[in-house]
Amino acid sequence: MKRFFVKYWWIFPIINLVCLLLIIPSLNYDLWRLASSFIIVFILLMVIQGIILILCLCEKKWWRAVGSVFGGVVCFVVFSFVSFVYLIHASSQPDLFGKEHPIPADMKCEEPLGVNYINTGDTLSFSWDNFKPVEPIVDSLSKDSYLQIWKDFQGGMYLYSFYYPALPDGKVFLRCFEATENIELSAFRVRAASSVEVKNHTGFGAIANKQKFMIYEGDWGDYYAARIEIWHKNARTGEETKLLEKIYRVEGWMR
């Protein structure tokens, strides 16, 4: 087996490169997933090419050792270049998710509350840090539960507030789905961004207050219906339970 790796060292960079290039279209123009893939690519190349390099050095196959290093570098450079070109192309293409999922005429959707911003600093100078939210009046809280979605500074950026009765220790988080076809939206990132720790929550009260999350599917102004669910994960048992859901009219963030 060792001699096989040393003799056919050139096969593995080619296999790596082909596999890596095949995964790019599956990333769906997702910057976060692409960044994650770079980390995986780097680790994969380091491990495989490192093993081949060590084997070649042990066998005193100097040129093959150099070739294995060069092959790993070429794989990473080509993958990086193709990914960059792919993203440049993606940035010029509209995200048609919203247009392809119109809101049915008979579907009732809640509207996220608007948040207006005012400049609290010197009006003659401009700084984003000076802009503070001015919140609209919110309806009274339900005695049983309360979930409110707010618009943030740009389309696709949202905040949520959540009140609920007693809950075991753990975490609450959001899951969002396109309401007509049940397509999960920005699955990992919504869950991670919206996650809030629950600890010693023994009575009805606030659990999340203006927690920020983003929906990436779609473009600004292309509204569609999203079912926003709030879930609880029990810290002791790991069990996940859906607590509440509401359907909102949303748009995606133009990345």
Side-chain angles (χ1 to χ4, degrees):
M1 180 63 70
K2 181 171 69 173
R3 290 185 177 180
F4 175 83
F5 276 90
V6 173
K7 183 176 181 180
Y8 297 103
W9 62 269
W10 51 271
I11 292 178
F12 299 97
I14 295 175
I15 293 175
N16 286 339
L17 184 58
V18 171
C19 291
L20 295 173
L21 293 180
L22 287 176
I23 72 169
I24 291 179
S26 70
L27 301 178
N28 195 29
Y29 307 146
D30 192 317
L31 293 175
W32 188 91
R33 293 174 66 188
L34 188 59
S36 301
S37 71
F38 269 112
I39 297 174
I40 296 172
V41 167
F42 181 74
I43 295 174
L44 180 67
L45 288 175
M46 288 290 288
V47 171
I48 295 178
Q49 299 305 127
I51 291 173
I52 295 174
L53 173 62
I54 292 172
L55 292 176
C56 289
L57 291 175
C58 291
E59 293 291 320
K60 298 182 180 180
K61 304 295 184 180
W62 313 119
W63 285 112
R64 293 180 185 180
V66 173
S68 68
V69 174
F70 180 75
V73 172
V74 169
C75 282
F76 190 76
V77 170
V78 172
F79 178 75
S80 303
F81 175 76
V82 173
S83 300
F84 177 75
V85 172
Y86 186 73
L87 283 177
I88 293 297
H89 171 72
S91 64
S92 64
Q93 304 299 313
D95 186 336
L96 301 177
F97 187 87
K99 287 185 170 64
E100 293 171 350
H101 297 86
I103 301 174
D106 59 347
M107 179 176 285
K108 182 180 178 181
C109 297
E110 302 281 349
E111 190 74 26
L113 291 180
V115 178
N116 296 318
Y117 287 81
I118 62 170
N119 189 350
T120 60
D122 184 354
T123 57
L124 298 179
S125 62
F126 180 86
S127 172
W128 289 116
D129 294 334
N130 292 334
F131 281 78
K132 305 299 179 184
V134 178
E135 301 173 1
I137 298 174
V138 186
D139 293 337
S140 60
L141 303 182
S142 163
K143 65 179 180 179
D144 298 319
S145 61
Y146 170 79
L147 170 65
Q148 179 62 60
I149 306 300
W150 309 73
K151 296 177 184 177
D152 199 16
F153 205 74
Q154 291 181 326
M157 296 181 177
Y158 295 99
L159 312 165
Y160 84 97
S161 296
F162 179 59
Y163 287 66
Y164 204 75
L167 276 175
D169 289 354
K171 290 184 178 181
V172 296
F173 58 90
L174 297 182
R175 296 182 68 186
C176 302
F177 298 84
E178 193 282 321
T180 62
E181 296 186 14
N182 206 39
I183 301 170
E184 188 158 9
L185 306 170
S186 307
F188 177 80
R189 286 185 292 189
V190 166
R191 177 169 179 153
S194 64
S195 182
V196 175
E197 185 177 3
V198 177
K199 195 170 182 64
N200 300 323
H201 190 74
T202 57
F204 182 80
I207 295 177
N209 184 28
K210 300 293 175 58
Q211 183 75 11
K212 185 173 182 177
F213 68 99
M214 295 173 65
I215 294 176
Y216 291 84
E217 289 79 2
D219 279 351
W220 292 343
D222 293 339
Y223 294 97
Y224 57 94
R227 187 178 71 255
I228 297 182
E229 303 177 351
I230 187 153
W231 287 69
H232 173 262
K233 182 175 182 179
N234 191 302
R236 184 175 62 84
T237 65
E239 180 182 3
E240 295 184 353
T241 307
K242 183 168 69 173
L243 303 177
L244 187 67
E245 67 176 50
K246 293 174 74 173
I247 295 179
Y248 278 91
R249 176 177 174 264
V250 302
E251 58 187 320
W253 185 68
M254 292 180 65
R255 55 196 184 277

